Every structure is written in C-alpha cells, then in structure tokens.
Amino acid sequence: MTIERYGLFETCVKGPSEGNPFTEQSISAVFKSKNETIETAGFYDGQGRYKVRFMPSFVGEYEYEIRTSFGAEEKGSFTVTEPGEGNHGPVHTAEQYHFAYADGTPYYSLGTTCYVFWLQEDEIVEQTFETLKNGPFNKIRFCVFPKHYIHNFKDPVTFPYEGHAGDRSWLNEENFSYFMEVEGNDFDLTRFNLAHFQRLDRTIERLMDLGIEADIIVMHPYDCWGFSHMTREQDDLYWKYVIARYSAYRNVWWSLANEYDLLFTKKLEDWEHYAELLCRLDPYQHLRSVHHCRTPYDFTRPWITHVSYQRIDLYKSAELGTELRERYGKPVVFDEIAYEGNIDNGWGNISGEEMTRRFWEAALRGTYPGHGETYANEDDILWWSHGGKLHGTSPERILFLKKIIEETPGHGLKFIPESWDAVTAVPETVLYTGQYKIIYFSFMQPSFRILDLPKDKQYRIEIIDTWNMTVTDGGTHSGWTKIQLPGRPYMALRLTLA
C-alpha cells in the first residue's frame, strides 16, 4: 500500500458494538519509520468499526501496530511517496510573524467565516463549495456544534449527539435570547451521532482538495441544546474524540472557541485544560489559538501559536496590527475584522470599500485579515453562518490583494514608520531590505506623491488601484521623484529595485 507524504492513512479493525463503545472501548496505534515514531488514538465510527488515522511526515517505509481494549491487534506496513501536486503539508508559523507550509512554501492567510455552512441542506453546501472554489479564501472558520443565534433559527441537518432537540419553531428575532435552552432537548452526551461527524469528515476532505485550511472551532457559546455547558467529563470525551478523528488531516487548524469569554460556565482553568489535551493528544501540533468577544485571551501563553483577534473598537481594526505583533510576538490573524453587509448589528454592516481597506491595512502591517459577509435577504441565508453565494464587492478585491501579496519577496510584510500619512510595508526578511516597498494611502486621495529615493539606485514604480484592481507602470526612477496619482481613495505605490 502507498500513501503520499502528508496524506491521510486510515485503518480499521472490527470490535464490539454493544454497550457504549465511545466510553467503554479504546483503540490506539504506533507508527514508526526511520525518521519518526508517532503514537495516536483512534475512534469508534459505528457498526463495530474502530479506526485510526495517521499523517506521515516523511517519505519511506512505515510500520504500524494497533492496540485495543477488546483484544484485537493488527500489524502492517505501507510506503510513503512524495506529495502530489497541491500538497504542501500542514501550515506552521514562519519568520516569527508569518506562516509557511511544511515544505517551506509561504502561506498567506486570507480567510473567511462560515460558522455552520456544512450543517445546511446539500444545495447550500454545494453552493458554498462552488463559491470557495472560485474565490480568494485559503482558510475557513467553522463550528463543530450547531449555532443558535439570530438568522439561525432553523435546525441543522445533523446534531453531534444521539437523541433529539427540543422545538425551536416558535423562535424569531422578537423572542430570541442568546443563552437560552429550549425545552425538550434529549441528547445522550456520551454517544456521538456518527452521521454528524462523517459529514464533517467529508467537509474537511473537500476543503483539503481545494487547498483551503479548515479552522475548526471546537466550542462556542451560541447554544440552546446544552452543548456549551457540559460537565468536565463530557467535555473531555468530546475533545478527545474530535482530536482523534481530525488531527491527521493536514489542513486542520484548532480554535478552542469562538468568543470563549461568553461561555460563562467555563473558567480560565478549563481553557488551559483543553489546551493541555490538545497539545498532548495532537501528535502533529497543528496551529492553535482561541478567539474572544470582549476580552482577548493571553496570547503569550506558550501553547498558542498565533493570535486570533476580533475587533473590539468601534473604528479601529487592522490599525491595531502593529501593536498586537509587538505585544504578543506571534503571527496575528484578524479572524473577525467586521463583516461586509447591511444587517442592523454594527459588526455586520461595513461596506465593501471598508472591508477591502481593512484587508490592505492589515496585510501591510504584517498581519492576516479575515473576511465575512452578512447581507440581509429574503431567504435569510447569510454567508457568515450558512455559506451559499457571496453578494459583496470585497471578495474579488481580496483576490487581487492575494496576488500582490504572493509577489512579495520572502514570507510576508512588515510595517515601517516611514511616514505619518501612509502605511508603508517592506518584506519581513532582512535579506530583501531596500529592494521592495509598498506605500498605501488608504481612504486619503493625494493627486501626487513626492519620493526621495536613493540617488545611486533605480526603482521601478507601479501605481496600484486597489479598488479598480489595476497596476499601472509608473516608470523607473532614482533620487527626488514626483509621482502623479489620480486623486481618489484606495491607491498604493509599489517600489521594486530595478
């Protein structure tokens, strides 16, 4: 048997299905090659099937040995080949503030949020994947649990546990409460609904095929079914199952929670406990963070690989990027920078122009912005939660920005305080200092710009219209240079050493 490097190896043994296999039985395996030894837990997948998944990190021969609580054992081997096209391995941090795939290819996170898109009817799911296939996004945030919130009154197609949900048909925006629990919920929190998790398997696999990172939100507060305030024992069973089932996918990121500080029954020691489980049980050490509403987590914690930030100021968002990098010394991802849309909530009604501006501002400060969309419509299908189709004007501009960023030397940009009236960025890598620069004028609209360039060097200057998505050659210059601009907002200059 062969499998490509960073691919997904899966093996299955038969075992008991009586009783409760989720709590009464266990399976694990040890994988060995000349380069690594990995021990990982498996999971029960129904009908007496116990599975183990593994992601090999090296080319060559592997041997494995399966151990179970019910006496079944299996030994085997397989060959790992070079990765196929588009398989760069999992993403890790690079150059302190940036990201790269395992093979060294730079990764520039330009993500989006679709909290429960995979729990919608198949037609909407297919629309979402078609949109993602043709869009700019290379990361998507979504929840394992369903969501109880405004615009989310329809039940999901599956629930994570066996049982049934209470009636929510009477809910609407007038009688809705964020942290209520409806009557009639009857879930067995020790038995997972395998249709739910098998559906999630397929979702992550399809995202992987598209080259999109799956940022899995393990917990969140928007719940009326009892999943947000389970006991420590129930939480541990859930966390261990999710880690065992999904850690072998190369495109997985872990978000401990969406808005952890609104899960009022959880304390700081609970979050540190979940983090300890994750660090101990995920043998691949995928990227990890935790997302906040009002109070940012202490992102200096050693288990956190990157900052997952939500705007908490009415106006400032990406402008905080420089400060956050300096404060935490890690990559900064603005997973919620507000949403392009027109709903009544302030977090969901910025314009496409403003979303695009925030993306440029964030990128040039050496941080990574995230998109979302909340346009009201008759079907009440909003991209931010349900997926489907995009209606805004920012995604194609984000795709344009992505192309600009990918042309940057090294692994990413950093802000330099060169001028007070523009955002100026250079490559993070010192090797490229003095060779490349982008100057962004944001919502200001100068009709010209004076540049004082080195007299002994020639720079090619390009005029970038970030809204109209054009790049115009401004010639090659040195010394004192006056560059004519069109006198409209959202312009930038790119300087490259000739």
Side-chain angles (χ1 to χ4, degrees), residues 115-116 120 147-155 168 171 176 225 380 384-386:
Y115 286 123
V116 285
Q120 309 304 307
K147 185 168 186 173
H148 168 75
Y149 195 66
I150 54 173
H151 307 289
N152 286 262
F153 298 132
K154 185 178 180 181
D155 280 347
R168 289 202 309 159
L171 275 173
F176 167 74
W225 303 283
D380 210 25
W384 133 92
S385 196
H386 312 99

Side-chain angles (χ1 to χ4, degrees), residues 69-83:
S69 60
F70 45 87
E73 295 184 358
E74 179 182 296
K75 293 183 179 181
S77 63
F78 55 90
T79 301
V80 178
T81 61
E82 293 290 348

Side-chain angles (χ1 to χ4, degrees), residues 108 405-413 426-429 432 435-436:
Y108 307 104
I405 295 175
E406 288 174 346
E407 294 168 356
T408 301
H411 278 87
L413 293 163
V426 297
E428 187 78 54
T429 310
Y432 301 104
Q435 299 182 27
Y436 187 92

Side-chain angles (χ1 to χ4, degrees), residues 469-485:
M469 298 173 287
T470 60
V471 179
T472 304
D473 188 1
T476 302
H477 304 269
S478 64
W480 190 94
T481 301
K482 182 177 182 179
I483 300 295
Q484 296 296 327
L485 293 167

Side-chain angles (χ1 to χ4, degrees), residues 5 24 75-76 78 84 162 274 288 324 341 394 430 446 465 470:
R5 187 181 186 187
E24 297 171 9
K75 293 183 179 181
F78 55 90
E162 293 184 8
Y274 306 143
R288 302 177 296 260
L324 294 175
S394 65
V430 176
D465 187 327
T470 60

Side-chain angles (χ1 to χ4, degrees), residues 9 30-32 62-66 74-78:
F9 173 82
V30 177
F31 293 84
K32 293 183 178 180
Y62 277 79
E63 295 180 345
Y64 67 90
E65 181 177 351
I66 291 179
E74 179 182 296
K75 293 183 179 181
S77 63
F78 55 90

